[in-house]
Amino acid sequence: MKKIFTLLLLSTISITVFAQTATTPSTQPYGKVDMADLTMKACEFEKDANAEVLFNKGDFYFDGNFNSTSNEIHKRIKIFNDNGKKEADVHIMYFGGSRLEYITGIQAQTINLVDGKIEITKLDKKLIYTKAIDKFRSEVAFTMPNVKPGCIIEYKYTLNSNNIYAVPSWFFQDKIPVRYSEYKTSIPDVFYFRPQSHITYALVKMTHSSEGRTLGTSAGYDLQIDTKAMADIPALPDEPYMSSFIDNVQAIRYQLVSVKPIGGFSHSFNDTWAKVGGTLADDEDFGEQLNRSLKDEDAIINKAKALKTDEEKIAYLFNEVKNTLKWDGVDRWYTIDGTHKAWATKTGNSAEINLILYHLLKKSNVEAYPMVVSTRAHGKVSRWYTSLSQFNRAVVYIPVDSTKNYILDATSKYNMYNEIPDELLNSLSLWIDKKHKKYDLVYLYNDAPVRQTVLINGEIKAGGKLEGTVEISSNSYNKINAVERYKTDGEKKYIEYLQNGDNNLKISSIAMENMDVDTLPLTQKVKFNLELAGSDENYIYLNPNLFTSLKTNIFLSEKRMTDIEFGYRKNYSISSVYKLPAGYKIDAMPKNITLVMPDKSISLRRIVAEQDGNIVLRYSINYNKIGYEKEAYPEFYEFFKKMHEMLNEQIILKKS
């Protein structure tokens, strides 16, 4: 029970307003549907949408004695085509452990227009399923009946909570367009919840009122009633290299700052990171797990202690844990079954695995600290929102010196001890020194360029065939990604990945070196032959963009909804030597050129020359920034279009 209260209690930021539509939609009572909505063929403001939220309404309030809260939800969705039918699968997550939260009053129905008449199909309540996700979280799930293109689905329910110290977050935006979204909160002034807003679209409704109320026979308080609404909200799609849905969605969250009982003194809550860290250190599923012994741990600890340097101890223990324990795919900052059981079963969530690693490091006399982080999909951590709900994974923090530290995450078999996992980059983390009661934020980033070097040596044959070898050297995240793909998919599928959809490219052999040595780059040595498409007796055509991840431009959309985040700086170096066939001469060849973004953040340099019967090409591509704001996308889009055109320029040989 204590844990779930902590989760909810600890469960942005500037506001820029843009103009929206003058006509404001609204909600309707359950079951009352306009004929215009039933006959509507497409979303008015997003014509290609597969479905549209007609409205989503929330009404949050306390019971009369401040013993519980309720959040009434009513959502209505229009389905336009078969691709929109996935909206009929409904999943509602809540904290069901110890019945802290529970769902009541579920109603759901599908409304079709059949031969001009309204046909309503109600959800059979026997088809509503409830399951426990873990000892804290639960889920209610159901699938709407009789769903067809053109129908409307709607459902309503009440989320009840015995925790009076949390107000649920509200998302105005969705992955499909939303015509109208409204959230009403009625909160006694006994509680002060600070809104944490991420709103860049105009609110079409923002009202506030106060009503005097009494508690019991004489105690008085004011009920603060706020309503916020937004209309015609575009869908938030998944875009290449967006940070996360959470970082970009139009939403409002609430943080409890203080409680002032009627007639009493105000009490502040976790309004500083030091208080949050203290809560974490004392938590039974985090702080109290740090020193719990593990079965037969002495053999591992003694072996680690026998190593000469901390670097060797860290590498040994990191690999021992990541290769012994299997991650169950669950990300939490807290343990579910505890470190002792996870060690016994060799399976655990992210906190269990990494707190075991922390424990073994400390027992081996390595200075290490537990740390909580947020993965990229979970969203960036805001410094001003002092809440544990911003974190979803525990890792290990090792400060090596003033300029170097390690962030150890043993959940993936392919992580390296000397690289911060890329999904944790560019966000804040909180590390815990329980012994000295020290808790501090650390910004996680990787400033070193991640390099990829490709060396191609090939011979062009008369008739249009290329034979040769390639050596690919990859460090850091390029190495991690390649090793994971090779070991997970197997060599056959990995070769298909290198072929990149080109059926004319055949790979006869591949050798992978240094896959399991964290301190050395991965080297891939490949033998290949390539039938040069379009070639005939007189002409040979060669696209030299081979064995790179740069063949296809993924930024094809002319519009962008979200900021671009690469995560880290990148450097590509591609050098190719192609021996010309006898009896052929160069008819056309790419020119030497340098292409640079206006802000000099990305550059491409190409050098091409003919030397002693060979064509020599060198490309150098540097990404000097990790990201771009969506407002800069037009020039970014044009640059990538030109860059990929240059990368794919052909060499043309003519028979002499």
Side-chain angles (χ1 to χ4, degrees):
M1 176 71 78
K2 175 185 175 184
K3 165 51 58 58
I4 307 178
F5 270 102
T6 301
L7 289 168
L8 293 174
L9 177 60
L10 304 175
S11 293
T12 15
I13 305 262
S14 59
I15 298 179
T16 306
V17 177
F18 298 101
Q20 291 218 353
T21 55
T23 303
T24 302
S26 62
T27 64
Q28 290 179 303
Y30 185 81
K32 182 179 180 182
V33 179
D34 288 337
M35 187 62 70
D37 288 339
L38 277 169
T39 57
M40 181 171 60
K41 301 298 182 183
C43 172
E44 291 183 0
F45 57 93
E46 201 165 310
K47 299 297 184 183
D48 60 348
N50 298 316
E52 175 187 4
V53 177
L54 299 178
F55 64 79
N56 191 21
K57 181 180 180 182
D59 186 0
F60 173 82
Y61 54 89
F62 284 70
D63 79 335
N65 295 314
F66 306 165
N67 291 324
S68 64
T69 67
S70 297
N71 195 27
E72 296 181 0
I73 305 296
H74 182 192
K75 190 171 187 178
R76 182 176 292 175
I77 302 172
K78 172 74 177 184
I79 308 296
F80 294 120
N81 54 44
D82 285 334
N83 291 329
K85 290 164 69 173
K86 62 183 180 181
E87 301 300 326
D89 292 327
V90 181
H91 298 264
I92 306 167
M93 302 284 293
Y94 62 100
F95 289 95
S98 302
R99 200 169 165 77
L100 187 66
E101 290 184 341
Y102 55 98
I103 304 290
T104 59
I106 296 177
Q107 296 183 63
Q109 60 186 11
T110 302
I111 305 166
N112 281 287
L113 191 63
V114 180
D115 297 329
K117 296 182 180 180
I118 292 177
E119 178 185 274
I120 296 177
T121 307
K122 296 185 179 296
L123 174 68
D124 185 347
K125 294 196 174 183
K126 294 179 181 178
L127 300 178
I128 300 174
Y129 302 98
T130 301
K131 68 175 182 179
I133 304 299
D134 56 41
K135 66 180 180 181
F136 303 120
R137 298 170 187 252
S138 301
E139 178 188 76
V140 165
F142 53 87
T143 300
M144 302 295 295
N146 198 24
V147 175
K148 306 172 184 177
C151 75
I152 289 174
I153 61 175
E154 71 172 335
Y155 56 90
K156 62 186 299 187
Y157 64 91
T158 300
L159 172 64
N160 306 280
S161 177
N162 292 314
N163 175 28
I164 61 174
Y165 301 116
V167 176
S169 301
W170 186 257
F171 289 12
F172 294 97
Q173 196 170 23
D174 207 327
K175 291 195 173 184
I176 59 175
V178 179
R179 187 164 72 184
Y180 184 74
S181 179
E182 177 184 295
Y183 196 39
K184 177 183 176 183
T185 59
S186 302
I187 302 174
D189 63 359
V190 170
F191 305 91
Y192 173 46
F193 290 93
R194 179 189 296 133
Q196 300 281 346
S197 301
H198 184 275
I199 296 175
T200 56
Y201 295 112
L203 293 169
V204 296
K205 180 188 290 186
M206 187 167 63
T207 63
H208 173 79
S209 62
S210 181
E211 297 179 1
R213 298 288 179 90
T214 59
L215 183 65
T217 57
S218 58
Y221 66 92
D222 288 332
L223 187 67
Q224 306 295 329
I225 305 170
D226 291 275
T227 303
K228 295 179 175 65
M230 196 177 285
D232 294 349
I233 314 149
L236 181 58
D238 291 328
E239 296 181 306
Y241 288 104
M242 66 183 283
S243 55
S244 73
F245 181 85
I246 297 295
D247 290 334
N248 292 279
V249 68
Q250 303 289 309
I252 187 167
R253 301 170 179 85
Y254 297 87
Q255 179 183 2
L256 179 65
V257 175
S258 62
V259 175
K260 184 179 181 180
I262 298 172
F265 296 98
S266 179
H267 300 282
S268 63
F269 281 77
N270 285 338
D271 53 352
T272 68
W273 285 112
K275 290 181 180 179
V276 174
T279 299
L280 195 60
D282 294 335
D283 190 275
E284 62 184 346
D285 295 309
F286 188 90
E288 293 186 13
Q289 298 288 320
L290 300 179
N291 295 317
R292 292 189 176 176
S293 60
L294 307 170
K295 184 179 180 181
D296 300 326
E297 65 178 25
D298 290 343
I300 296 174
I301 294 169
N302 290 336
K303 187 173 180 179
K305 285 182 175 180
L307 298 171
K308 294 181 179 180
T309 67
D310 279 355
E311 190 89 5
E312 291 175 305
K313 293 177 184 178
I314 293 166
Y316 164 66
L317 290 171
F318 179 75
N319 285 298
E320 188 72 19
V321 171
K322 79 173 185 178
N323 292 324
T324 300
L325 294 171
K326 180 181 179 181
W327 181 39
D328 62 10
V330 176
D331 259 325
R332 299 286 185 266
W333 60 258
Y334 54 87
T335 64
I336 298 294
D337 297 320
T339 56
H340 185 82
K341 184 174 181 181
W343 182 253
T345 62
K346 307 305 178 190
T347 303
N349 70 8
S350 56
E352 288 158 350
I353 289 173
N354 287 320
L355 292 188
I356 286 171
L357 175 58
Y358 161 81
H359 171 77
L360 294 174
L361 286 162
K362 288 295 288 184
K363 288 290 187 179
S364 303
N365 301 323
V366 176
E367 183 187 359
Y369 302 93
M371 171 183 272
V372 287
V373 296
S374 178
T375 59
R376 181 172 290 110
H378 189 253
K380 294 181 185 295
V381 174
S382 167
R383 183 180 296 275
W384 317 114
Y385 183 23
T386 50
S387 170
L388 272 175
S389 66
Q390 292 200 89
F391 304 105
N392 71 323
R393 182 179 291 183
V395 295
V396 182
Y397 171 58
I398 300 179
V400 179
D401 54 42
S402 60
T403 61
K404 179 180 178 182
N405 58 59
Y406 292 146
I407 307 297
L408 305 184
D409 179 7
T411 56
S412 171
K413 305 297 183 189
Y414 309 103
N415 283 347
M416 300 191 298
Y417 78 89
N418 53 0
E419 290 287 359
I420 302 172
D422 68 334
E423 62 182 339
L424 307 182
L425 292 174
N426 309 313
S427 185
L428 290 165
S429 58
L430 178 65
W431 65 279
I432 311 299
D433 183 353
K434 185 176 181 179
K435 180 179 179 181
H436 298 100
K437 296 184 178 180
K438 185 178 180 181
Y439 321 104
D440 205 359
L441 293 174
V442 174
Y443 186 74
L444 304 183
Y445 69 99
N446 187 344
D447 195 42
V450 175
R451 303 183 185 280
Q452 180 104 328
T453 301
V454 179
L455 303 174
I456 300 175
N457 195 320
E459 181 178 355
I460 304 172
K461 304 286 188 177
K465 188 173 183 179
L466 174 66
E467 294 181 352
T469 61
V470 58
E471 182 172 305
I472 306 170
S473 178
S474 311
N475 78 333
S476 187
Y477 306 118
N478 291 331
K479 174 180 179 177
I480 291 172
N481 295 335
V483 171
E484 180 172 7
R485 186 184 295 272
Y486 182 85
K487 289 191 174 183
T488 302
D489 296 343
E491 186 171 289
K492 182 180 179 181
K493 287 190 176 181
Y494 187 77
I495 287 175
E496 291 175 0
Y497 161 73
L498 291 178
Q499 291 170 319
N500 198 18
D502 188 347
N503 293 326
N504 292 320
L505 177 61
K506 308 298 181 184
I507 293 175
S508 57
S509 70
I510 180 171
M512 310 283 281
E513 300 177 0
N514 304 323
M515 281 198 293
D516 300 316
V517 184
D518 290 351
T519 54
L520 295 175
L522 171 71
T523 299
Q524 305 174 63
K525 295 181 178 179
V526 179
K527 292 182 179 180
F528 72 95
N529 62 76
L530 173 65
E531 296 288 344
L532 300 175
S535 300
D536 55 29
E537 293 182 357
N538 296 311
Y539 288 94
I540 295 175
Y541 301 90
L542 168 64
N543 181 344
N545 189 0
L546 299 171
F547 297 99
T548 75
S549 58
L550 304 169
K551 198 162 188 177
T552 304
N553 180 11
I554 61 173
F555 296 103
L556 297 177
S557 174
E558 296 184 11
K559 296 181 180 180
R560 181 84 183 186
M561 293 283 294
T562 63
D563 295 341
I564 295 168
E565 183 179 302
F566 291 121
Y568 45 85
R569 295 164 58 205
K570 304 179 182 182
N571 175 275
Y572 295 94
S573 177
I574 306 159
S575 297
S576 306
V577 178
Y578 299 106
K579 184 178 180 181
L580 296 172
Y584 283 80
K585 65 180 181 179
I586 297 171
D587 188 61
M589 188 166 65
K591 294 180 172 57
N592 295 340
I593 194 169
T594 299
L595 183 67
V596 184
M597 279 275 286
D599 64 354
K600 297 182 171 50
S601 59
I602 305 178
S603 65
L604 164 65
R605 187 181 184 193
R606 180 177 64 197
I607 299 174
V608 188
E610 181 182 1
Q611 297 177 354
D612 302 324
N614 296 307
I615 298 174
V616 180
L617 292 93
R618 291 187 178 89
Y619 295 88
S620 178
I621 306 162
N622 293 290
Y623 292 63
N624 298 315
K625 281 174 61 175
I626 64 169
Y628 298 82
E629 295 180 348
K630 56 182 176 290
E631 289 77 14
Y633 184 68
E635 64 182 25
F636 180 93
Y637 168 80
E638 289 298 328
F639 178 85
F640 260 72
K641 182 179 178 181
K642 291 178 182 177
M643 183 173 75
H644 280 273
E645 287 173 355
M646 288 174 54
L647 287 168
N648 290 298
E649 283 187 48
Q650 288 188 327
I651 297 169
I652 303 176
L653 307 181
K654 184 178 180 181
K655 193 171 185 178
S656 51

